[in-house]
mmCIF file of all heavy atoms in Angstrom:
data_model
loop_
_atom_site.group_PDB
_atom_site.id
_atom_site.type_symbol
_atom_site.label_atom_id
_atom_site.label_comp_id
_atom_site.label_asym_id
_atom_site.label_seq_id
_atom_site.Cartn_x
_atom_site.Cartn_y
_atom_site.Cartn_z
ATOM 1 N N ALA A 1 1.807 -43.496 -62.077
ATOM 2 C CA ALA A 1 0.762 -42.906 -62.915
ATOM 3 C C ALA A 1 0.942 -41.390 -63.026
ATOM 4 O O ALA A 1 0.895 -40.835 -64.121
ATOM 5 C CB ALA A 1 -0.621 -43.233 -62.350
ATOM 6 N N ARG A 2 1.170 -40.732 -61.894
ATOM 7 C CA ARG A 2 1.368 -39.294 -61.913
ATOM 8 C C ARG A 2 2.594 -38.928 -62.740
ATOM 9 O O ARG A 2 2.553 -38.041 -63.596
ATOM 10 C CB ARG A 2 1.528 -38.771 -60.489
ATOM 11 C CG ARG A 2 1.457 -37.249 -60.384
ATOM 12 C CD ARG A 2 2.083 -36.734 -59.106
ATOM 13 N NE ARG A 2 3.492 -37.050 -59.005
ATOM 14 C CZ ARG A 2 4.476 -36.465 -59.708
ATOM 15 N NH1 ARG A 2 4.191 -35.523 -60.573
ATOM 16 N NH2 ARG A 2 5.736 -36.821 -59.528
ATOM 17 N N ALA A 3 3.694 -39.647 -62.554
ATOM 18 C CA ALA A 3 4.939 -39.369 -63.294
ATOM 19 C C ALA A 3 4.753 -39.626 -64.788
ATOM 20 O O ALA A 3 5.269 -38.879 -65.609
ATOM 21 C CB ALA A 3 6.062 -40.231 -62.733
ATOM 22 N N ALA A 4 3.994 -40.679 -65.139
ATOM 23 C CA ALA A 4 3.768 -40.972 -66.550
ATOM 24 C C ALA A 4 2.971 -39.846 -67.217
ATOM 25 O O ALA A 4 3.273 -39.450 -68.348
ATOM 26 C CB ALA A 4 3.004 -42.293 -66.699
ATOM 27 N N LEU A 5 1.989 -39.315 -66.519
ATOM 28 C CA LEU A 5 1.194 -38.211 -67.072
ATOM 29 C C LEU A 5 2.036 -36.950 -67.204
ATOM 30 O O LEU A 5 1.995 -36.282 -68.252
ATOM 31 C CB LEU A 5 -0.018 -37.949 -66.199
ATOM 32 C CG LEU A 5 -1.092 -39.025 -66.242
ATOM 33 C CD1 LEU A 5 -2.188 -38.734 -65.207
ATOM 34 C CD2 LEU A 5 -1.696 -39.156 -67.614
ATOM 35 N N VAL A 6 2.801 -36.620 -66.199
ATOM 36 C CA VAL A 6 3.639 -35.422 -66.241
ATOM 37 C C VAL A 6 4.666 -35.551 -67.345
ATOM 38 O O VAL A 6 4.904 -34.624 -68.121
ATOM 39 C CB VAL A 6 4.292 -35.157 -64.866
ATOM 40 C CG1 VAL A 6 5.366 -34.087 -64.961
ATOM 41 C CG2 VAL A 6 3.231 -34.774 -63.846
ATOM 42 N N SER A 7 5.295 -36.709 -67.446
ATOM 43 C CA SER A 7 6.310 -36.951 -68.468
ATOM 44 C C SER A 7 5.705 -36.909 -69.870
ATOM 45 O O SER A 7 6.294 -36.352 -70.801
ATOM 46 C CB SER A 7 6.975 -38.289 -68.227
ATOM 47 O OG SER A 7 7.849 -38.617 -69.281
ATOM 48 N N ALA A 8 4.525 -37.451 -70.021
ATOM 49 C CA ALA A 8 3.871 -37.502 -71.333
ATOM 50 C C ALA A 8 3.592 -36.122 -71.883
ATOM 51 O O ALA A 8 3.683 -35.902 -73.088
ATOM 52 C CB ALA A 8 2.575 -38.324 -71.257
ATOM 53 N N VAL A 9 3.231 -35.204 -71.016
ATOM 54 C CA VAL A 9 2.852 -33.872 -71.506
ATOM 55 C C VAL A 9 4.011 -32.882 -71.509
ATOM 56 O O VAL A 9 3.853 -31.762 -71.990
ATOM 57 C CB VAL A 9 1.656 -33.282 -70.706
ATOM 58 C CG1 VAL A 9 0.447 -34.205 -70.789
ATOM 59 C CG2 VAL A 9 2.012 -33.034 -69.254
ATOM 60 N N ALA A 10 5.166 -33.274 -71.019
ATOM 61 C CA ALA A 10 6.315 -32.397 -71.017
ATOM 62 C C ALA A 10 6.673 -32.055 -72.458
ATOM 63 O O ALA A 10 6.799 -32.926 -73.306
ATOM 64 C CB ALA A 10 7.498 -33.068 -70.323
ATOM 65 N N GLY A 11 6.770 -30.794 -72.717
ATOM 66 C CA GLY A 11 7.142 -30.358 -74.041
ATOM 67 C C GLY A 11 5.960 -30.130 -74.973
ATOM 68 O O GLY A 11 6.101 -29.554 -76.046
ATOM 69 N N ALA A 12 4.782 -30.611 -74.579
ATOM 70 C CA ALA A 12 3.593 -30.360 -75.392
ATOM 71 C C ALA A 12 3.229 -28.891 -75.294
ATOM 72 O O ALA A 12 3.424 -28.262 -74.253
ATOM 73 C CB ALA A 12 2.429 -31.231 -74.907
ATOM 74 N N GLU A 13 2.721 -28.340 -76.396
ATOM 75 C CA GLU A 13 2.507 -26.901 -76.424
ATOM 76 C C GLU A 13 1.053 -26.473 -76.407
ATOM 77 O O GLU A 13 0.706 -25.455 -75.836
ATOM 78 C CB GLU A 13 3.227 -26.313 -77.634
ATOM 79 C CG GLU A 13 4.738 -26.498 -77.528
ATOM 80 C CD GLU A 13 5.481 -25.971 -78.729
ATOM 81 O OE1 GLU A 13 4.870 -25.297 -79.571
ATOM 82 O OE2 GLU A 13 6.682 -26.241 -78.806
ATOM 83 N N THR A 14 0.197 -27.229 -77.060
ATOM 84 C CA THR A 14 -1.210 -26.815 -77.129
ATOM 85 C C THR A 14 -2.053 -27.640 -76.181
ATOM 86 O O THR A 14 -1.694 -28.793 -75.863
ATOM 87 C CB THR A 14 -1.762 -26.980 -78.568
ATOM 88 O OG1 THR A 14 -1.821 -28.391 -78.859
ATOM 89 C CG2 THR A 14 -0.887 -26.275 -79.576
ATOM 90 N N PRO A 15 -3.182 -27.101 -75.717
ATOM 91 C CA PRO A 15 -4.058 -27.888 -74.852
ATOM 92 C C PRO A 15 -4.520 -29.189 -75.505
ATOM 93 O O PRO A 15 -4.620 -30.223 -74.839
ATOM 94 C CB PRO A 15 -5.252 -26.945 -74.616
ATOM 95 C CG PRO A 15 -4.689 -25.564 -74.779
ATOM 96 C CD PRO A 15 -3.640 -25.709 -75.852
ATOM 97 N N THR A 16 -4.739 -29.158 -76.817
ATOM 98 C CA THR A 16 -5.166 -30.373 -77.510
ATOM 99 C C THR A 16 -4.074 -31.427 -77.475
ATOM 100 O O THR A 16 -4.331 -32.600 -77.239
ATOM 101 C CB THR A 16 -5.554 -30.048 -78.986
ATOM 102 O OG1 THR A 16 -6.590 -29.062 -78.961
ATOM 103 C CG2 THR A 16 -5.989 -31.255 -79.726
ATOM 104 N N GLU A 17 -2.848 -31.004 -77.726
ATOM 105 C CA GLU A 17 -1.713 -31.931 -77.697
ATOM 106 C C GLU A 17 -1.504 -32.489 -76.285
ATOM 107 O O GLU A 17 -1.280 -33.684 -76.114
ATOM 108 C CB GLU A 17 -0.461 -31.189 -78.172
ATOM 109 C CG GLU A 17 0.750 -32.073 -78.334
ATOM 110 C CD GLU A 17 1.988 -31.279 -78.768
ATOM 111 O OE1 GLU A 17 1.983 -30.032 -78.746
ATOM 112 O OE2 GLU A 17 2.976 -31.950 -79.112
ATOM 113 N N ILE A 18 -1.604 -31.625 -75.290
ATOM 114 C CA ILE A 18 -1.449 -32.040 -73.903
ATOM 115 C C ILE A 18 -2.509 -33.078 -73.535
ATOM 116 O O ILE A 18 -2.199 -34.127 -72.963
ATOM 117 C CB ILE A 18 -1.521 -30.835 -72.943
ATOM 118 C CG1 ILE A 18 -0.284 -29.959 -73.122
ATOM 119 C CG2 ILE A 18 -1.651 -31.273 -71.500
ATOM 120 C CD1 ILE A 18 -0.377 -28.590 -72.479
ATOM 121 N N ALA A 19 -3.755 -32.803 -73.907
ATOM 122 C CA ALA A 19 -4.847 -33.727 -73.582
ATOM 123 C C ALA A 19 -4.629 -35.083 -74.236
ATOM 124 O O ALA A 19 -4.766 -36.125 -73.598
ATOM 125 C CB ALA A 19 -6.185 -33.130 -74.026
ATOM 126 N N GLU A 20 -4.276 -35.069 -75.514
ATOM 127 C CA GLU A 20 -4.101 -36.351 -76.199
ATOM 128 C C GLU A 20 -2.938 -37.156 -75.620
ATOM 129 O O GLU A 20 -3.061 -38.354 -75.388
ATOM 130 C CB GLU A 20 -3.880 -36.153 -77.701
ATOM 131 C CG GLU A 20 -3.685 -37.493 -78.387
ATOM 132 C CD GLU A 20 -4.012 -37.472 -79.865
ATOM 133 O OE1 GLU A 20 -4.472 -36.458 -80.391
ATOM 134 O OE2 GLU A 20 -3.815 -38.524 -80.470
ATOM 135 N N LEU A 21 -1.837 -36.492 -75.351
ATOM 136 C CA LEU A 21 -0.683 -37.203 -74.772
ATOM 137 C C LEU A 21 -1.012 -37.752 -73.396
ATOM 138 O O LEU A 21 -0.620 -38.878 -73.064
ATOM 139 C CB LEU A 21 0.520 -36.283 -74.729
ATOM 140 C CG LEU A 21 1.115 -35.902 -76.082
ATOM 141 C CD1 LEU A 21 2.166 -34.814 -75.933
ATOM 142 C CD2 LEU A 21 1.684 -37.100 -76.791
ATOM 143 N N ALA A 22 -1.720 -36.981 -72.572
ATOM 144 C CA ALA A 22 -2.078 -37.435 -71.225
ATOM 145 C C ALA A 22 -3.032 -38.625 -71.297
ATOM 146 O O ALA A 22 -2.846 -39.611 -70.576
ATOM 147 C CB ALA A 22 -2.688 -36.288 -70.432
ATOM 148 N N VAL A 23 -4.047 -38.530 -72.152
ATOM 149 C CA VAL A 23 -5.002 -39.632 -72.269
ATOM 150 C C VAL A 23 -4.292 -40.896 -72.749
ATOM 151 O O VAL A 23 -4.478 -41.996 -72.213
ATOM 152 C CB VAL A 23 -6.186 -39.260 -73.184
ATOM 153 C CG1 VAL A 23 -6.993 -40.486 -73.590
ATOM 154 C CG2 VAL A 23 -7.070 -38.241 -72.481
ATOM 155 N N ARG A 24 -3.469 -40.757 -73.772
ATOM 156 C CA ARG A 24 -2.758 -41.931 -74.303
ATOM 157 C C ARG A 24 -1.823 -42.532 -73.246
ATOM 158 O O ARG A 24 -1.713 -43.758 -73.154
ATOM 159 C CB ARG A 24 -1.993 -41.569 -75.575
ATOM 160 C CG ARG A 24 -2.909 -41.361 -76.758
ATOM 161 C CD ARG A 24 -2.175 -41.225 -78.071
ATOM 162 N NE ARG A 24 -3.120 -41.044 -79.149
ATOM 163 C CZ ARG A 24 -3.824 -41.994 -79.739
ATOM 164 N NH1 ARG A 24 -3.684 -43.243 -79.329
ATOM 165 N NH2 ARG A 24 -4.683 -41.730 -80.701
ATOM 166 N N ALA A 25 -1.190 -41.702 -72.447
ATOM 167 C CA ALA A 25 -0.309 -42.213 -71.397
ATOM 168 C C ALA A 25 -1.102 -42.978 -70.345
ATOM 169 O O ALA A 25 -0.693 -44.063 -69.904
ATOM 170 C CB ALA A 25 0.463 -41.073 -70.738
ATOM 171 N N PHE A 26 -2.271 -42.446 -69.965
ATOM 172 C CA PHE A 26 -3.068 -43.128 -68.963
ATOM 173 C C PHE A 26 -3.679 -44.423 -69.520
ATOM 174 O O PHE A 26 -3.711 -45.448 -68.835
ATOM 175 C CB PHE A 26 -4.160 -42.222 -68.393
ATOM 176 C CG PHE A 26 -4.697 -42.715 -67.097
ATOM 177 C CD1 PHE A 26 -3.973 -42.572 -65.918
ATOM 178 C CD2 PHE A 26 -5.922 -43.359 -67.025
ATOM 179 C CE1 PHE A 26 -4.450 -43.043 -64.703
ATOM 180 C CE2 PHE A 26 -6.420 -43.853 -65.819
ATOM 181 C CZ PHE A 26 -5.673 -43.694 -64.655
ATOM 182 N N VAL A 27 -4.126 -44.376 -70.775
ATOM 183 C CA VAL A 27 -4.646 -45.592 -71.415
ATOM 184 C C VAL A 27 -3.546 -46.644 -71.474
ATOM 185 O O VAL A 27 -3.807 -47.814 -71.160
ATOM 186 C CB VAL A 27 -5.202 -45.261 -72.817
ATOM 187 C CG1 VAL A 27 -5.439 -46.530 -73.633
ATOM 188 C CG2 VAL A 27 -6.509 -44.472 -72.693
ATOM 189 N N ALA A 28 -2.335 -46.253 -71.829
ATOM 190 C CA ALA A 28 -1.237 -47.216 -71.865
ATOM 191 C C ALA A 28 -0.993 -47.818 -70.493
ATOM 192 O O ALA A 28 -0.792 -49.029 -70.375
ATOM 193 C CB ALA A 28 0.027 -46.535 -72.402
ATOM 194 N N LEU A 29 -1.015 -46.977 -69.479
ATOM 195 C CA LEU A 29 -0.788 -47.492 -68.111
ATOM 196 C C LEU A 29 -1.855 -48.508 -67.735
ATOM 197 O O LEU A 29 -1.531 -49.601 -67.247
ATOM 198 C CB LEU A 29 -0.794 -46.345 -67.100
ATOM 199 C CG LEU A 29 -0.691 -46.781 -65.641
ATOM 200 C CD1 LEU A 29 0.752 -47.140 -65.311
ATOM 201 C CD2 LEU A 29 -1.183 -45.701 -64.717
ATOM 202 N N VAL A 30 -3.099 -48.180 -67.989
ATOM 203 C CA VAL A 30 -4.214 -49.054 -67.549
ATOM 204 C C VAL A 30 -4.388 -50.276 -68.449
ATOM 205 O O VAL A 30 -4.572 -51.380 -67.960
ATOM 206 C CB VAL A 30 -5.527 -48.235 -67.464
ATOM 207 C CG1 VAL A 30 -6.719 -49.113 -67.197
ATOM 208 C CG2 VAL A 30 -5.404 -47.178 -66.382
ATOM 209 N N LEU A 31 -4.325 -50.088 -69.760
ATOM 210 C CA LEU A 31 -4.598 -51.192 -70.668
ATOM 211 C C LEU A 31 -3.397 -52.100 -70.909
ATOM 212 O O LEU A 31 -3.540 -53.299 -71.024
ATOM 213 C CB LEU A 31 -5.131 -50.679 -72.013
ATOM 214 C CG LEU A 31 -6.626 -50.403 -72.082
ATOM 215 C CD1 LEU A 31 -7.103 -49.416 -71.053
ATOM 216 C CD2 LEU A 31 -7.030 -49.959 -73.470
ATOM 217 N N ASP A 32 -2.210 -51.492 -70.991
ATOM 218 C CA ASP A 32 -1.021 -52.305 -71.227
ATOM 219 C C ASP A 32 -0.522 -52.964 -69.943
ATOM 220 O O ASP A 32 0.231 -53.943 -70.022
ATOM 221 C CB ASP A 32 0.101 -51.442 -71.823
ATOM 222 C CG ASP A 32 -0.256 -50.928 -73.208
ATOM 223 O OD1 ASP A 32 -1.212 -51.452 -73.831
ATOM 224 O OD2 ASP A 32 0.393 -49.980 -73.673
ATOM 225 N N HIS A 33 -0.886 -52.431 -68.829
ATOM 226 C CA HIS A 33 -0.502 -52.982 -67.517
ATOM 227 C C HIS A 33 -1.757 -53.068 -66.657
ATOM 228 O O HIS A 33 -1.885 -52.290 -65.689
ATOM 229 C CB HIS A 33 0.575 -52.114 -66.862
ATOM 230 C CG HIS A 33 1.749 -51.852 -67.739
ATOM 231 N ND1 HIS A 33 2.732 -52.788 -67.942
ATOM 232 C CD2 HIS A 33 2.081 -50.789 -68.493
ATOM 233 C CE1 HIS A 33 3.628 -52.319 -68.780
ATOM 234 N NE2 HIS A 33 3.254 -51.099 -69.136
ATOM 235 N N PRO A 34 -2.668 -53.971 -66.974
ATOM 236 C CA PRO A 34 -3.947 -53.990 -66.256
ATOM 237 C C PRO A 34 -3.814 -54.220 -64.739
ATOM 238 O O PRO A 34 -4.629 -53.742 -63.979
ATOM 239 C CB PRO A 34 -4.737 -55.112 -66.925
ATOM 240 C CG PRO A 34 -3.755 -55.906 -67.679
ATOM 241 C CD PRO A 34 -2.605 -54.994 -68.003
ATOM 242 N N GLU A 35 -2.735 -54.906 -64.332
ATOM 243 C CA GLU A 35 -2.537 -55.082 -62.896
ATOM 244 C C GLU A 35 -2.351 -53.727 -62.230
ATOM 245 O O GLU A 35 -2.925 -53.464 -61.193
ATOM 246 C CB GLU A 35 -1.312 -55.972 -62.612
ATOM 247 C CG GLU A 35 -1.419 -57.384 -63.118
ATOM 248 C CD GLU A 35 -1.079 -57.526 -64.597
ATOM 249 O OE1 GLU A 35 -0.580 -56.566 -65.214
ATOM 250 O OE2 GLU A 35 -1.333 -58.633 -65.132
ATOM 251 N N ALA A 36 -1.541 -52.850 -62.856
ATOM 252 C CA ALA A 36 -1.345 -51.518 -62.296
ATOM 253 C C ALA A 36 -2.638 -50.718 -62.321
ATOM 254 O O ALA A 36 -2.965 -50.022 -61.382
ATOM 255 C CB ALA A 36 -0.243 -50.779 -63.079
ATOM 256 N N GLY A 37 -3.400 -50.858 -63.403
ATOM 257 C CA GLY A 37 -4.689 -50.189 -63.494
ATOM 258 C C GLY A 37 -5.642 -50.636 -62.399
ATOM 259 O O GLY A 37 -6.334 -49.833 -61.766
ATOM 260 N N ARG A 38 -5.662 -51.953 -62.141
ATOM 261 C CA ARG A 38 -6.538 -52.465 -61.091
ATOM 262 C C ARG A 38 -6.085 -52.015 -59.704
ATOM 263 O O ARG A 38 -6.886 -51.738 -58.832
ATOM 264 C CB ARG A 38 -6.623 -53.998 -61.168
ATOM 265 C CG ARG A 38 -7.482 -54.490 -62.317
ATOM 266 C CD ARG A 38 -7.754 -55.971 -62.263
ATOM 267 N NE ARG A 38 -6.595 -56.777 -62.575
ATOM 268 C CZ ARG A 38 -6.265 -57.197 -63.803
ATOM 269 N NH1 ARG A 38 -7.015 -56.885 -64.832
ATOM 270 N NH2 ARG A 38 -5.210 -57.938 -63.973
ATOM 271 N N VAL A 39 -4.745 -51.927 -59.511
ATOM 272 C CA VAL A 39 -4.245 -51.400 -58.225
ATOM 273 C C VAL A 39 -4.728 -49.960 -58.030
ATOM 274 O O VAL A 39 -5.261 -49.602 -56.995
ATOM 275 C CB VAL A 39 -2.700 -51.474 -58.153
ATOM 276 C CG1 VAL A 39 -2.168 -50.658 -56.968
ATOM 277 C CG2 VAL A 39 -2.239 -52.907 -58.043
ATOM 278 N N LEU A 40 -4.582 -49.164 -59.059
ATOM 279 C CA LEU A 40 -4.900 -47.752 -58.957
ATOM 280 C C LEU A 40 -6.387 -47.490 -58.818
ATOM 281 O O LEU A 40 -6.816 -46.683 -57.997
ATOM 282 C CB LEU A 40 -4.374 -47.028 -60.204
ATOM 283 C CG LEU A 40 -4.359 -45.538 -60.204
ATOM 284 C CD1 LEU A 40 -3.464 -44.997 -59.088
ATOM 285 C CD2 LEU A 40 -3.891 -45.016 -61.553
ATOM 286 N N LEU A 41 -7.222 -48.221 -59.569
ATOM 287 C CA LEU A 41 -8.640 -47.891 -59.636
ATOM 288 C C LEU A 41 -9.549 -48.844 -58.873
ATOM 289 O O LEU A 41 -10.599 -48.410 -58.385
ATOM 290 C CB LEU A 41 -9.058 -47.839 -61.108
ATOM 291 C CG LEU A 41 -8.319 -46.819 -61.960
ATOM 292 C CD1 LEU A 41 -8.658 -46.987 -63.428
ATOM 293 C CD2 LEU A 41 -8.604 -45.404 -61.502
ATOM 294 N N LEU A 42 -9.214 -50.110 -58.809
ATOM 295 C CA LEU A 42 -10.110 -51.074 -58.162
ATOM 296 C C LEU A 42 -9.685 -51.454 -56.739
ATOM 297 O O LEU A 42 -10.537 -51.675 -55.882
ATOM 298 C CB LEU A 42 -10.224 -52.336 -59.013
ATOM 299 C CG LEU A 42 -10.869 -52.181 -60.365
ATOM 300 C CD1 LEU A 42 -10.807 -53.474 -61.154
ATOM 301 C CD2 LEU A 42 -12.313 -51.710 -60.216
ATOM 302 N N ALA A 43 -8.392 -51.505 -56.480
ATOM 303 C CA ALA A 43 -7.936 -51.931 -55.157
ATOM 304 C C ALA A 43 -8.487 -51.068 -54.025
ATOM 305 O O ALA A 43 -8.839 -51.599 -52.979
ATOM 306 C CB ALA A 43 -6.413 -51.997 -55.112
#
């Protein structure tokens, strides 16, 4: 999760761009891989 967020925002220049890329990366992690999301947040 940490690596996905750092990678997602690499190269982004504005705070708005950084925020959107980070949110989309975390949403992808949690929604596209709910098992990983449950490990991270519910376990």
Side-chain angles (χ1 to χ4, degrees):
R2 192 201 62 74
L5 291 173
V6 169
S7 174
V9 302
E13 296 178 9
T14 68
T16 302
E17 186 181 11
I18 291 168
E20 180 157 356
L21 291 172
V23 166
R24 287 190 180 280
F26 198 76
V27 166
L29 175 77
V30 172
L31 275 58
D32 296 344
H33 307 283
E35 296 83 9
R38 285 189 289 269
V39 167
L40 192 61
L41 301 171
L42 295 175

